[in-house]
Amino acid sequence: MADIIDGKAFAATVRKKVAEHVTRLKSEHNITPGLAVVLVGEDPASEVYVRNKGKQTHECGMNSYEHKLPADTSESILLALIDRLNNDPTVHGILCQLPVPDHINSEKVLNAISPAKDVDGFHISNVGLLATGQKSMVPCTPLGCLMMLRDRHGSLSGMNAVVVGRSNIVGKPMAALLLRDSCTVTIAHSRTKDIEALCRNADILVAAVGRPQMITGDWVKPGATVIDVGINRIPAPERGIGKMRLVGDVDFASASAVAGAITPVPGGVGPMTIACLLANTVTACCRANGLPEPEGLTA
Ligand code: NDP
């Protein structure tokens, strides 16, 4: 039976490190890191994420600035707000919650955020820096996965890693990070042939697909480390009529019987994502002020 990688507990240790660093920044340098989160429209899931981000930012001793704009906000008004935040020295991190309404070009918005304040790591400059192995702001979800993998294995050098999914926010940056840590990396996607055999060769298997329980135990190499990024809602009639539950892209029951270690859903990668957003904000603040970066909180 696989070891369960407890993302909730790991995220708590990351938040503790962030809070300790924030305390030092305040007492030694009179600087309080600030994170601005911009939400356009009234998507209920996004509102929950934004609320959680604000709460955890405060709990770590940082300033949180929430900017809620109506759904009919024009692109130019949103860009003007981002410009203002780019030039605000009390703001060290800026995040625009996705998705934005259809009339707004999300790429344009993400690329308007100053790369130094781009705590989501989605700006094209940060994407390029990561791809070329240089210091950058790293997307939060893959950063969280990398932290858990390094904690489990120490060095990842020489390991075979398979990342299932090639999205810009998870799959591609995850693959770039694993490559930078000297894994032999394969990216699989919807057109990949014989994907099961490919996965069975993986010492590290990262699933970022968005298909409930697609990866079953017979895809997993015995002893492999399985990181399940997927968050899927499926009907749970055993809990009552109309009830739902969260599952990953990995079939936990069968995969955990074969893997050496596995992240559960919920309680695995999910909690690490916000913790890494806080870590990125502290990192951005240190870089902006020419101070040493916190150890163990960057890629
Ligand atoms: P996307 O939909 O952007 O990308 C999904 C990827 O999976 C695509 O590259 C797609 O391939 C690939 N794919 C789809 N079907 C198959 C298949 N049958 N076989 C192999 N590959 C397939 O999703 P995201 O990367 O944004 O998210 C992936 C999952 O992670 C989702 O469940 C999402 O909710 C979750 N997530 C969780 C986060 C967290 O904090 N834990 C954060 C972000 C996402 P192709 O490119 O060929 O279409």
Side-chain angles (χ1 to χ4, degrees):
M1 188 69 185
D3 295 337
I4 309 297
I5 301 176
D6 185 345
K8 213 168 154 189
F10 201 115
T13 66
V14 172
R15 286 197 303 272
K16 187 163 174 279
K17 276 190 205 164
V18 169
E20 285 166 1
H21 211 82
V22 170
T23 304
R24 271 203 300 282
L25 283 170
K26 284 181 179 177
S27 63
E28 292 171 18
H29 303 281
N30 201 22
I31 298 169
T32 304
L35 171 65
V37 178
V38 181
L39 173 64
V40 188
E42 278 118 36
D43 178 52
S46 293
E47 289 196 9
V48 173
Y49 289 139
V50 167
R51 228 183 0 258
N52 279 340
K53 285 170 186 172
K55 184 169 166 276
Q56 294 193 25
T57 305
H58 276 302
E59 283 169 0
C60 285
M62 299 194 277
N63 289 328
S64 162
Y65 310 103
E66 277 181 31
H67 295 269
K68 289 191 181 172
L69 306 178
D72 61 358
T73 300
S74 68
E75 190 178 276
S76 59
I77 288 194
L78 177 57
L79 291 173
L81 170 62
I82 288 174
D83 187 49
R84 190 156 60 75
L85 296 172
N86 282 341
N87 290 299
D88 183 341
T90 65
V91 171
H92 305 96
I94 305 169
L95 174 155
C96 183
Q97 186 68 43
L98 298 176
V100 287
D102 288 346
H103 65 278
I104 294 174
N105 179 336
S106 59
E107 272 182 20
K108 200 165 169 186
V109 171
L110 296 179
N111 287 321
I113 295 172
S114 160
K117 297 189 179 188
D118 169 36
V119 282
D120 253 343
F122 295 158
H123 190 287
I124 196 74
S125 302
N126 283 316
V127 175
L129 288 167
L130 178 60
T132 50
Q134 299 179 68
K135 194 151 117 178
S136 66
M137 295 307 302
V138 175
C140 304
T141 300
L143 176 58
C145 297
L146 185 77
M147 282 183 187
M148 291 192 283
L149 285 167
R150 283 180 177 169
D151 182 67
R152 168 93 191 160
H153 293 285
S155 168
L156 307 182
S157 180
M159 296 178 86
N160 278 336
V162 173
V163 179
V164 189
R166 56 174 163 177
S167 73
N168 290 335
I169 64 168
V170 189
K172 283 182 198 147
M174 185 75 250
L177 286 170
L178 291 167
L179 189 60
R180 206 164 79 174
D181 269 26
S182 298
C183 290
T184 303
V185 183
T186 308
I187 306 178
H189 47 78
S190 65
R191 311 292 171 89
T192 299
K193 290 189 179 132
D194 206 359
I195 191 165
E196 293 97 326
L198 206 65
C199 291
R200 266 195 299 275
N201 193 34
D203 304 312
I204 293 170
L205 180 57
V206 181
V209 188
R211 294 192 182 269
Q213 299 166 313
M214 182 184 91
I215 294 176
T216 48
D218 52 340
W219 295 37
V220 176
K221 178 177 174 175
T225 298
V226 178
I227 304 288
D228 190 355
V229 180
I231 301 177
N232 309 288
R233 226 167 258 281
I234 62 165
E238 73 281 4
R239 293 183 181 181
I241 298 164
K243 295 283 183 200
M244 307 289 277
R245 69 184 175 106
L246 287 186
V247 296
D249 293 338
V250 176
D251 176 48
F252 186 83
S254 61
S256 61
V258 185
I262 187 166
T263 59
V265 177
V269 175
M272 285 297 286
T273 297
I274 299 188
C276 287
L277 173 69
L278 305 175
N280 275 351
T281 304
V282 174
T283 300
C285 178
C286 293
R287 288 180 187 169
N289 288 284
L291 296 168
E293 290 170 22
E295 264 174 47
L297 294 181
T298 45

